[in-house]
């Protein structure tokens, strides 16, 4: 490694974190480097647990001891040395946050610029009558009147009462005493000579009245300009900075303050906070800026209400107090702001007739086009120039990373991990830093090949700013475009942790030891099936129209492997997860076969052809977690742990001590560690600081007490078993059929590197999905409709090849499978494709092609077809 200069290379020596085998590797600076290899081969261990962790540790160590106490102790990774390391920023695959106040606009800061833009150049309107409101000085009003009404007689009045109930005798007396005796009351002119005239007016106090004081009647000419000015000043003084000009039968209002003179609506002072739904100044008072209110589900409320009414013992059923603990409250759009989050005054300010909410409801693509052609008056254009430049640049970054279909109003809670990562990537490009080590974990996840090309250009731009870009990636296009490749393997888990090849893409393709190189060169490839299965019937979904779907009717083929494709945001997930799944779920629910949510919104009906009525069940395998606490893990989810505990409970030593199955659960008090209650770690509350998590000193993280750990099988205790990978456990339990079968399936779907006891909270979406798939495979069902959402997430081409064998095995047993997918290696092997588009967002939601992969490849309008044609 001596040949590598620290000015040009980051050199890692003796890396042993997790499964890394004491490796040495050099990464070129200011280049785009892709680290690839089979799932579980050690890519993330090298990049995140070595490079990023050490970069973060060195940064923290450079701070004062006072600052370090707030950042916590950062452990040193298991590595001998790293030289040439730059300041590191990791852009990982994780959700942006669960805060309901966070949106795409707020986390990208585009919304902050829009707030300033609207505060500086927005046009104010009355929220009631929608008329424009503009503060005008008395001098400006004079100029307007002289120019617009030359040689006309005008009546200058002070509008003192506007559509208000009352008799107004006292007010009229006051004006009379001040020298005003001519009025227009409810459209009729009056001239009072005495106070008795006013008393005789007899206005009904239950009716609404309008009263104007007549200040002067003038023929407009330049010579009368000073007289007009005096009359307008007098009107402003009497009517709170408002004047009403009568010209014949027409009336004109002018005000020197932001107030609607017709509705008497006073507009607050406009400032950026005025457009923030996180500020009391701008937020809707009803929902406090959330856009929704929470309500008890109606069926639960009435069920409790009936129970309460029939409760003879006057028991406290608690549906008012602890409904949170049993049911999730429904989020209902706010009835005041209709989900727009802002108050009526903020929503009444517009640019080119659009409110800030309207613009944030545009897709990124359409919003970028809007600002590109936006024309402002000369003064506003000068004020907004810098703001518009910042907004357009940030929108362009979002467009370039494949997020053109998102809206700025989109809640951060609804974003996938891949979308969140690309948003952070766009934000980093906007910061224009250089000399930084950027680490990205599979940024292409969830992207169509068309959008992926733009992402690669974005990564290159980040590199060209003078940064070192290291990407963990399986996408072949990204690898071909990289400056340098590092291939890890040769296998996963204990079989991985080695460097199998380094160099340029061309050099790696010539390396016989590199599995990735063989796929890149075409020496290995996923084969296209010789025969395509024929559909044995169809389930047709009629008039699907949620989100951006354009009332599409789609026939889904059965007893085949069907791929649903399309550019990002074209409507794939909406079609399957929000239309087809609920519709099928209600059908099964009506037969009592499947307990699916029957409260979902009604959608277009289903019709059936051929063998469609043979569908006996539906299984949705998505990327949601398999458990929400660290106590859940693959072994517990798959039922493996039950069998292992039975095995340990049957051992002679367990029988002698009277240990039952429950003794070997870390959730049961008798067998678990007393100090950490089976967690393996202890959480220390730090009051206003984040909690500190440390390994339990009593059990050393093993979760069990000493007596339980004394029971061993083949010299392994229960904690040792949970620490095994699926591959290690497969060999260990080869003579225990129930355990062996599920472990074999885990290896078949590319999860051999996963620890049996790995907390569910640390699994990626793709890993969680494949564990669910293993659970379904173990049930050996048939006549089932399987629905999968991007099952190839996080998989190397070799792992995809293995996964396809498993999926096809399910279909060959007489099951039907619908797969939402972008990966061309999968799409080229399916039996049938339904392609959505033609674009994302508002320009998507249509079926652009359907048929076999070969048929779709010849549809010019299909982006998927164009890329299939190149294979």
């Amino acid at each position: 490694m001596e040949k590598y200069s620290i000015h040009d290379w980051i050199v890692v020596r003796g890396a042993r974190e997790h499964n890394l085998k004491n490796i040495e590797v050099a990464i070129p600076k200011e280049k785009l480097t892709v680290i690839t290899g089979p799932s579980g081969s050690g890519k993330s261990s090298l990049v995140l647990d070595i490079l990023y962790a050490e970069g973060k540790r060195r940064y923290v160590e450079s701070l004062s001891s006072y600052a370090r106490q707030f950042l916590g102790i950062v452990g040193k990774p298991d590595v001998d040395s790293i030289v040439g390391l730059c300041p590191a920023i990791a852009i990982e695959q994780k959700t942006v946050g669960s805060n309901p106040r966070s949106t795409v606009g707020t986390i990208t800061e585009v919304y902050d610029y829009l707030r300033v833009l609207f505060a500086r150049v927005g046009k104010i309107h009355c929220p009631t009558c929608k008329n424009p409101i503009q503060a005008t000085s008395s001098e400006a009003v004079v100029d307007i009147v002289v120019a617009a009404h030359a040689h006309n007689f005008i009546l200058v009045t002070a509008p003192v009462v506007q559509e208000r109930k009352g008799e107004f005798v006292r007010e009229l007396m006051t004006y009379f005493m001040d020298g005003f005796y001519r009025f227009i009351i409810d459209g009729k002119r009056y001239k009072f000579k005495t106070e008795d005239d006013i008393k005789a007016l007899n206005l009904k106090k239950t009716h609404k009245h309008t009263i104007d004081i007549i200040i002067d009647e003038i023929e407009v000419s330049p010579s009368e300009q000073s007289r007009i000015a005096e009359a307008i000043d007098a009107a402003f003084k009497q009517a709170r900075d408002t004047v009403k000009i009568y010209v014949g039968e027409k009336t004109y209002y002018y005000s020197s303050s932001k107030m609607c003179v017709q509705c008497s609506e006073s507009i607050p002072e406009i400032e950026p906070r005025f457009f923030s739904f996180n500020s009391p100044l701008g937020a809707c008072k009803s929902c406090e800026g959330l856009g929704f209110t929470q309500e008890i589900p109606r069926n639960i409320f009435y069920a409790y209400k009936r129970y309460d009414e029939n409760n003879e013992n006057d028991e406290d059923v608690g549906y008012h107090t602890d409904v949170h603990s049993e049911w999730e409250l429904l989020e209902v759009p706010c009835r005041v702001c209709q989900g727009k989050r802002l108050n009526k005054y903020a929503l009444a300010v517009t640019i080119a007739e659009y409110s800030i909410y309207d613009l944030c409801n545009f897709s990124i693509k359409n919003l970028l086009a809007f600002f590109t052609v936006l024309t402002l008056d000369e003064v506003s254009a000068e004020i907004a120039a810098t703001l518009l430049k910042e907004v357009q640049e940030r929108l362009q970054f979002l467009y370039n990373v494949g997020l053109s279909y998102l809206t700025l109003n989109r809640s951060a809670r609804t974003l996938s991990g891949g979308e969140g990562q690309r948003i952070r990537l766009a934000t980093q490009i906007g910061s224009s830093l250089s000399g930084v080590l950027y680490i990205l974990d599979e940024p292409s996840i969830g992207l169509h090949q068309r959008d992926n090309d733009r992402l690669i250009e974005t990564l290159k731009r980040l590199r060209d700013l003078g940064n070192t870009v290291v990407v963990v990636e399986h996408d072949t296009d990204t690898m071909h475009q990289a400056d340098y490749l590092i291939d890890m393997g040769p296998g996963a888990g204990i079989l991985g942790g080695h460097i199998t090849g380094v160099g340029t893409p061309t050099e790696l393709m010539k390396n016989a030891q590199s599995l990735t190189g063989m796929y890149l060169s075409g020496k290995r490839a996923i084969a296209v099936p010789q025969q395509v299965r024929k559909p044995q019937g169809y389930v047709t979904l009629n008039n699907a129209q949620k989100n951006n779907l354009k009332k599409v009717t789609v026939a889904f083929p059965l007893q085949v492997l069907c791929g649903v494709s399309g550019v990002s945001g074209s409507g794939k997930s909406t079609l399957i997860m929000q239309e087809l799944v609920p519709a099928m779920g209600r059908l099964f629910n009506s037969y009592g076969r499947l307990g699916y949510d029957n409260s979902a919104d009604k959608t277009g009906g289903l019709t059936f052809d051929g063998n469609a009525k043979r569908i006996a069940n539906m299984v949705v395998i998505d990327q949601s977690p398999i458990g929400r606490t660290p106590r859940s893990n693959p072994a517990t989810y798959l039922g493996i742990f039950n069998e292992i505990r039975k095995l340990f409970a049957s051992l002679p030593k367990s029988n002698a001590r009277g240990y039952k199955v429950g003794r070997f659960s870390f959730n049961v008090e008798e067998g678990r560690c007393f100090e950490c209650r089976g967690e393996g770690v202890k959480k220390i509350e730090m009051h206003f600081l984040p909690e500190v998590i440390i390994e339990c000193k009593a059990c050393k993280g093993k979760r069990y007490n000493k007596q339980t750990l004394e029971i061993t099988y083949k010299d392994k205790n229960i904690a040792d078993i949970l620490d095994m990978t699926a591959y290690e456990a497969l060999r260990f339990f080869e003579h225990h059929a129930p355990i062996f079968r599920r472990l074999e399936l885990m290896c078949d779907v590319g999860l051999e590197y996963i620890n049996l006891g790995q907390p569910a909270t640390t699994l990626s979406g793709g890993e969680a999905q494949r564990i669910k798939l293993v659970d379904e495979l173990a049930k050996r069902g048939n006549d089932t409709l399987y629905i999968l959402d991007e099952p190839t997430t996080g998989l190397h081409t070799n792992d995809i090849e293995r996964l396809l064998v498993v999926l096809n095995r399910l279909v060959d047993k007489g099951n039907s499978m619908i797969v939402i997918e972008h990966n061309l290696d999968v799409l080229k092997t399916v039996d049938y494709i339904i392609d959505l588009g033609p674009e994302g967002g508002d320009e998507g939601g249509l079926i652009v092609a359907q048929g076999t992969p070969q048929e779709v490849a010849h549809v010019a309008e299909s982006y998927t077809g164009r890329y299939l044609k190149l294979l």
Side-chain angles (χ1 to χ4, degrees):
M1 291 282 176
E2 285 72 17
K3 65 179 181 178
Y4 297 107
S5 164
I6 64 171
H7 298 293
D8 301 321
W9 297 82
I10 299 171
V11 182
V12 179
R13 294 187 175 92
R16 294 175 295 275
E17 195 74 26
H18 300 315
N19 68 333
L20 297 180
K21 306 298 194 300
N22 200 36
I23 62 173
E24 295 189 2
V25 65
I27 298 169
K29 290 185 177 180
E30 299 186 16
K31 302 291 184 184
L32 172 57
T33 299
V34 170
I35 298 182
T36 188
S39 304
S41 59
K43 304 182 296 297
S44 295
S45 296
L46 172 61
V47 174
L48 294 172
D49 299 328
I50 297 286
L51 285 178
Y52 177 60
E54 180 63 7
K56 182 179 178 182
R57 186 188 72 84
R58 291 183 186 181
Y59 169 70
V60 172
E61 289 296 317
S62 71
L63 302 175
S64 67
S65 57
Y66 175 78
R68 289 202 301 273
Q69 70 176 323
F70 296 103
L71 297 172
I73 299 171
V74 181
K76 188 179 187 303
D78 191 0
V79 61
D80 290 340
S81 68
I82 304 177
V83 296
L85 187 60
C86 317
I89 295 175
I91 306 175
E92 300 178 66
Q93 274 249 2
K94 57 185 179 183
T95 54
V96 183
S98 58
N99 189 337
R101 295 186 177 276
S102 293
T103 65
V104 172
T106 59
I107 58 182
T108 59
E109 299 180 357
V110 175
Y111 193 73
D112 296 331
Y113 286 100
L114 288 181
R115 290 194 294 115
V116 179
L117 184 68
F118 269 77
R120 299 295 176 256
V121 302
K123 303 300 181 186
I124 306 168
H125 295 76
C126 172
T128 304
C129 68
K130 311 304 179 188
N131 287 331
I133 296 174
Q134 185 174 358
T136 311
S137 67
S138 60
E139 294 86 353
V141 175
V142 173
D143 292 339
I144 293 170
V145 169
V146 171
H149 308 298
H151 309 298
N152 288 328
F153 277 92
I154 64 169
L155 205 61
V156 180
T157 70
V160 290
V161 175
Q162 186 74 28
E163 287 291 310
R164 283 166 42 203
K165 292 180 181 180
E167 295 178 337
F168 300 104
V169 173
R170 187 186 307 167
E171 290 85 348
L172 288 170
M173 286 287 194
T174 302
Y175 296 132
F176 185 78
M177 295 298 292
D178 288 340
F180 299 104
Y181 53 90
R182 293 190 300 166
F183 299 86
I184 298 176
I185 302 175
D186 297 337
K188 185 178 179 181
R189 292 181 66 163
Y190 291 86
K191 182 177 181 180
F192 300 127
K193 295 180 180 179
T194 66
E195 294 180 6
D196 291 337
D197 292 339
I198 297 174
K199 293 176 183 177
L201 185 63
N202 195 24
L203 294 178
K204 291 185 179 180
K205 65 180 179 180
T206 57
H207 290 188
K208 290 182 179 180
H209 304 288
T210 297
I211 301 174
D212 302 333
I213 302 173
I214 298 175
I215 305 296
D216 202 351
E217 189 169 3
I218 313 165
E219 183 180 3
V220 178
S221 66
S223 63
E224 296 286 5
Q225 192 158 337
S226 60
R227 182 179 167 188
I228 295 171
E230 289 175 5
I232 289 171
D233 284 337
F236 274 173
K237 184 177 179 181
Q238 295 298 323
R240 295 183 303 165
D241 301 325
T242 305
V243 64
K244 186 175 181 181
I245 307 288
Y246 286 83
V247 184
E249 295 182 357
K250 293 185 178 180
T251 56
Y252 301 87
Y253 288 90
Y254 302 95
S255 175
S256 62
S257 64
K258 293 184 177 70
M259 186 186 81
C260 179
V261 291
Q262 286 189 335
C263 306
S264 296
E265 283 270 18
S266 293
I267 309 299
E269 189 62 32
I270 304 298
E271 56 175 295
R273 286 187 303 163
F274 189 70
F275 301 97
S276 172
F277 41 75
N278 295 321
S279 166
L281 286 178
C284 167
K285 295 294 186 291
S286 176
C287 63
E288 298 181 334
L290 288 172
F292 61 83
T293 54
Q294 292 185 318
E295 298 181 1
I296 300 172
R298 186 169 294 183
N299 58 334
I300 293 173
F301 177 80
Y302 285 117
Y304 264 101
K305 197 172 190 300
R306 286 194 299 273
Y307 180 90
D308 197 28
E309 290 169 350
N310 299 326
N311 185 6
E312 296 178 359
N313 297 323
D314 198 27
E315 299 172 32
D316 180 14
V317 295
Y319 66 86
H320 290 298
T321 55
D322 54 357
V323 69
H324 271 284
S325 62
E326 298 183 40
W327 295 283
E328 286 191 16
L329 297 179
L330 290 177
E331 291 184 355
V332 180
C334 174
R335 291 178 174 84
V336 175
C337 67
Q338 278 75 51
K340 296 180 180 181
R341 296 175 173 240
L342 296 168
N343 61 44
K344 63 180 182 178
Y345 300 107
L347 292 170
V349 181
T350 65
I351 291 178
E353 299 182 4
Y354 293 103
S355 70
I356 193 168
Y357 174 83
D358 295 333
L359 291 185
C360 290
N361 244 15
F362 283 19
S363 67
I364 298 297
K365 179 180 178 181
N366 291 341
L367 189 57
L368 185 58
F370 171 83
F371 282 115
T372 302
V373 300
L374 176 65
T375 55
L376 299 171
D377 61 73
E378 188 176 349
V379 176
S380 295
E382 186 175 351
I383 294 171
T386 305
L387 291 169
L388 288 174
K389 179 175 179 291
E390 292 289 345
V391 168
Q392 287 176 279
E393 282 187 355
R394 280 165 168 73
L395 292 174
Q396 188 66 54
F397 297 150
L398 290 168
Y399 181 85
N400 289 345
V401 296
L403 298 174
S404 61
Y405 58 93
L406 291 183
T407 67
L408 296 183
N409 278 335
R410 175 84 172 264
S411 173
R413 297 186 298 171
T414 66
L415 297 171
S416 69
E419 288 169 335
Q421 184 184 35
R422 291 194 294 280
I423 283 175
R424 285 190 289 272
L425 173 59
T427 305
Q428 286 297 327
I429 296 172
S431 67
S432 298
L433 291 175
S434 64
V436 174
L437 168 61
Y438 281 105
I439 294 169
L440 291 93
D441 186 10
E442 297 190 68
S444 70
I445 283 179
L447 277 185
H448 189 273
Q449 210 68 29
R450 192 275 310 262
D451 305 302
N452 196 34
D453 294 340
R454 294 203 297 257
L455 173 65
I456 294 170
E457 291 304 313
T458 301
L459 296 176
K460 289 180 178 179
R461 178 172 180 176
L462 200 60
R463 172 202 64 190
D464 294 341
L465 288 171
N467 298 299
T468 303
V469 182
V470 176
V471 183
V472 176
E473 189 57 88
H474 298 299
D475 177 67
T476 54
D477 282 356
T478 307
M479 286 187 251
H480 278 296
Q481 295 286 322
D483 302 310
Y484 198 76
L485 294 178
I486 297 173
D487 192 27
M488 300 190 68
I494 60 172
L495 301 179
H498 296 281
I499 303 295
T500 59
V502 297
T504 64
T506 303
E507 291 171 339
L508 203 68
M509 284 189 276
K510 297 176 181 178
N511 187 336
Q513 304 301 314
S514 169
L515 181 62
T516 302
M518 295 179 71
Y519 279 104
L520 285 175
S521 65
K523 294 174 184 174
R524 286 192 65 167
I526 295 176
V528 176
Q530 295 294 318
Q531 289 187 326
V532 176
R533 302 181 188 90
K534 299 293 184 184
Q536 300 301 306
Y538 293 87
V539 171
T540 302
L541 177 68
N542 301 293
N543 298 318
Q545 53 187 308
K546 279 196 174 180
N547 297 339
N548 67 333
L549 295 178
K550 307 293 195 302
K551 291 188 177 181
V552 294
T553 295
V554 191
F556 295 95
L558 300 177
Q559 295 183 33
V560 299
L561 178 54
C562 173
V564 178
S565 61
V567 297
S568 305
S570 58
K572 304 180 297 298
S573 296
T574 299
L575 177 66
I576 303 303
M577 296 302 186
Q578 296 186 40
E579 289 278 18
L580 178 64
V581 168
M584 292 292 293
R586 286 192 296 275
L587 173 72
F588 288 122
N589 191 284
S590 65
Y591 287 105
R593 296 173 181 168
L594 181 67
Y596 203 81
D597 181 12
N598 197 34
S599 65
D601 292 337
K602 299 293 183 184
T603 58
L606 295 171
T607 52
F608 301 85
D609 299 322
N611 288 335
K613 293 182 181 178
R614 283 185 55 189
I615 300 176
N617 200 356
M618 176 179 67
V619 174
V620 180
I621 308 176
D622 60 14
Q623 296 195 14
S624 59
I626 60 170
R628 300 191 179 278
T629 70
R631 292 184 180 274
S632 180
N633 56 53
T636 58
Y637 185 85
L638 294 173
I640 296 172
F641 198 38
N642 289 337
E643 298 296 331
I644 293 173
R645 290 191 294 120
K646 288 177 186 176
L647 174 61
F648 269 77
S650 69
L651 295 173
K653 198 169 183 177
S654 294
N655 290 327
R657 293 187 178 186
Y659 289 173
K660 304 299 181 185
V661 174
R663 177 84 192 194
F664 300 96
S665 169
F666 46 73
N667 294 322
V668 177
E669 189 172 346
E670 61 180 342
R672 71 189 183 191
C673 171
F674 175 80
E675 292 294 328
C676 66
R677 302 173 63 84
E679 293 278 359
V681 296
K682 295 194 75 174
K683 298 175 182 177
I684 303 172
E685 294 291 337
M686 300 295 286
H687 300 291
F688 59 90
L689 296 174
E691 62 184 11
V692 174
I693 299 176
I694 60 173
E695 184 182 86
C696 176
K697 302 297 182 185
C699 66
K700 303 292 190 297
K702 293 184 181 295
R703 311 177 81 161
Y704 293 92
N705 59 33
K706 182 180 178 182
Q707 293 75 22
T708 305
L709 294 175
E710 287 174 351
I711 308 298
T712 60
Y713 173 70
K714 293 185 182 180
D715 297 326
K716 300 288 185 182
N717 60 36
I718 190 73
D720 296 330
I721 300 294
L722 288 174
D723 205 36
M724 286 181 177
T725 64
Y727 177 80
E728 293 171 307
L730 180 69
R731 294 184 295 178
F732 189 82
F733 291 107
E734 59 184 340
H735 300 301
H736 294 270
I739 301 174
F740 180 84
R741 171 63 181 154
R742 284 172 168 77
L743 291 171
E744 185 179 41
L745 289 170
M746 281 187 73
C747 295
D748 287 346
V749 298
L751 294 175
E752 61 265 42
Y753 61 93
I754 295 288
N755 286 2
L756 298 188
Q758 184 171 335
T761 52
T762 66
L763 296 170
S764 70
E767 289 167 340
Q769 186 181 34
R770 291 195 292 281
I771 288 172
K772 294 176 189 176
L773 180 60
V774 169
D775 189 43
E776 290 302 323
L777 287 166
K779 294 175 182 176
R780 300 175 179 271
N782 54 20
D783 291 332
T784 297
L785 173 61
Y786 289 96
I787 295 176
L788 285 79
D789 188 3
E790 296 192 59
T792 62
T793 297
L795 290 185
H796 186 271
T797 309
N798 185 57
D799 300 314
I800 294 173
E801 193 169 2
R802 294 163 57 195
L803 178 64
L804 283 171
V805 172
V806 174
L807 298 183
N808 279 292
R809 193 189 307 164
L810 273 173
V811 179
D812 288 338
K813 287 165 59 178
N815 297 299
S816 304
M817 187 171 293
I818 297 173
V819 180
I820 302 171
E821 191 56 81
H822 290 112
N823 191 285
L824 292 175
D825 281 324
V826 174
L827 293 176
K828 74 179 184 182
T829 64
V830 301
D831 304 303
Y832 196 90
I833 292 177
I834 297 171
D835 191 44
L836 279 82
E839 297 290 342
D842 293 340
E843 298 178 42
L846 295 171
I847 306 299
V848 294
Q850 52 188 347
T852 66
Q854 291 75 18
E855 290 168 344
V856 171
H858 289 90
V859 178
E861 295 78 16
S862 167
Y863 283 109
T864 302
R866 295 181 201 178
Y867 283 96
L868 284 171
K869 198 171 185 178
L870 298 174
L871 296 178

